[in-house]
Amino acid sequence: MEDKRANGDTSACNGHSGKQQKDVRVWCDGCYDMVHFGHANSLRQAKALGDKVIVGIHTDEEITKHKGPPVFTEEERVKMVKGIKWVDEVVLGAPYVTTLEVLDQNNCDFCVHGDDITMTAEGVDTYHLVKSANRYKEVKRTAGVSTTDLVGRMLLLTRNHFRQGSAEYDIEKEGSSNMGQDSAAKSPWTGCSQFLPTTQKIIQFSDGKSPNPGDKIVYVAGAFDLFHVGHLDFLEKAKKLGDYLIVGLHTDPVVNSYKGSNYPIMNLHERVLSVLACKFVNEVVIGAPYCVTEELLEHFKIDVVCHGRTPIALENGKIDPYAVPKTRAIFELIDSGNEMTTERIVERIISHRLEYERRNQAKEKKEIEAFEALQRQKQTQKAG
C-alpha cells in the first residue's frame, strides 16, 4: 500500500474525513544559509507531519551574532526557501531561540527540527523552550551533507566528493582540514560522511507526475551545482515557457570537462535531489547527454529547449550541443536577471576563508561538548 505520508499527501495522516478541519501548521526555523537538499529533506519530513509548513528565517544580524557572517544575504536565503516545493510560507526575522510566542503569532501547532543540536553563542539549546512545552518534534537529519562540509569542499578544492568507476560509492574519506570533511572531526553532526543515494530518497523528492496530454514541455540542461538563486530565477522563467519542466543533469566527468578545477562541488546524486526539491521542476534526467539529440527531443516530446546567458562550451571543442534544437527553431536563450553563479559563491567563501574556518571550529567544539553531555545524561538515566 502506498505510504501517503512519505509522498507528502497528509490527508490520510491527519484523519481528514471530509469534514472541514483546521490545518495543522508546522513551524521550522533556521539560517538556511547555502540551502541544500539536507534542508529540503527536513522540510519534506516536516510537511508529512502536518498540512502547512511555515519557515522562519534568521536575519543576517542574528546569524552573525551567533555563528559568524552568513554566505548569503537574507533576501537570497528567503528566495531559496520559497523555491522549495514543500514550503507554504516564509517569515523573515525568526528569533535564534524559538519561542512559544513565535509559534502562536504564526498559528503554528508545533516546531520541527532535525536530530542535531543547534546552540546560541552562549551554548544554549535553541529549542529548549518549545521542547519543555511539548511543542517540538524531531525528524532525522540527512546524513552525508552539511553546509560546513560544502564550505570545506570549496575551500580545500578537494576532489574526493566525486569518484568514478569502482570507487564511485566508496565512503572512506581522505583527511582534509578542519572543515566538515575532516576524517578526524568528532562531532556527529558537522563531521560528514559521503552522502549515500537511494532510490527511496529520489522517490520521496519526486512528484512522480507525467505530463498531461497537450502539455508544452520545456527542457533545460546543465550542472546546477550548489543549487542557488541564479538557478532558481532561471528555472522559474523556463517554467513560464510551458507547462512541464524537465532538467537534464550532466554527469560529474562531463561537468568537470567544461568547468575544470574541482567542479562540480556537489556530485551527481546530490545535484539530482537539489534540483528535484525546486518547486518549478517536474522531472530530472540523471546523466543527460551533453549534446541535445534528436532522440532526446523525441523521447521526452520536448517543445522548447532553453539555456541561460552563461557561455556554452562546444563538445570536443567543435560541436554546438544545442545545434539540433536550433535547427528545429525550438531553442531559446533566457536571461534570469540574476548575476549569481556557482563560481561567485566559491569566490565569496574563499574571500572569507579564515572567518569560516574559525566559525566552524567553534561550532565543532560546542557540538562535541553538547554531544558528550547528552551521552553522559543517557548513561546516568540507564544507571538510575
Side-chain angles (χ1 to χ4, degrees), residues 255-313:
V255 174
N256 188 252
S257 72
Y258 63 82
K259 290 266 196 178
S261 185
N262 72 324
Y263 291 103
I265 304 294
M266 293 181 112
N267 66 41
L268 179 59
H269 312 304
E270 296 172 315
R271 292 184 285 119
V272 166
L273 294 184
S274 301
V275 172
L276 274 176
C278 174
K279 68 180 179 186
F280 306 117
V281 175
N282 298 99
E283 185 60 288
V284 169
V285 180
I286 304 170
Y290 187 65
C291 280
V292 179
T293 60
E294 293 278 2
E295 292 79 14
L296 185 128
L297 295 175
E298 289 302 326
H299 181 82
F300 292 106
K301 310 275 188 289
I302 293 161
D303 298 294
V304 189
V305 176
C306 310
H307 194 273
R309 294 285 171 186
T310 52
I312 299 170

Side-chain angles (χ1 to χ4, degrees), residues 141-208:
R141 79 175 281 279
T142 309
V145 66
S146 70
T147 302
T148 311
D149 174 52
L150 295 174
V151 169
R153 295 183 197 181
M154 285 178 258
L155 287 180
L156 303 159
L157 297 182
T158 53
R159 297 171 65 91
N160 51 314
H161 53 278
F162 57 94
R163 298 166 182 268
Q164 296 166 32
S166 60
E168 187 175 0
Y169 295 96
D170 286 358
I171 58 164
E172 89 285 348
K173 300 190 303 301
E174 300 147 19
S176 48
S177 127
N178 46 19
M179 301 297 281
Q181 290 195 324
D182 182 8
S183 51
K186 297 179 192 69
S187 166
W189 303 304
T190 297
C192 194
S193 59
Q194 188 187 346
F195 168 67
L196 293 174
T198 62
T199 51
Q200 180 63 31
K201 186 64 67 234
I202 292 173
I203 289 164
Q204 287 168 340
F205 270 57
S206 168
D207 62 13

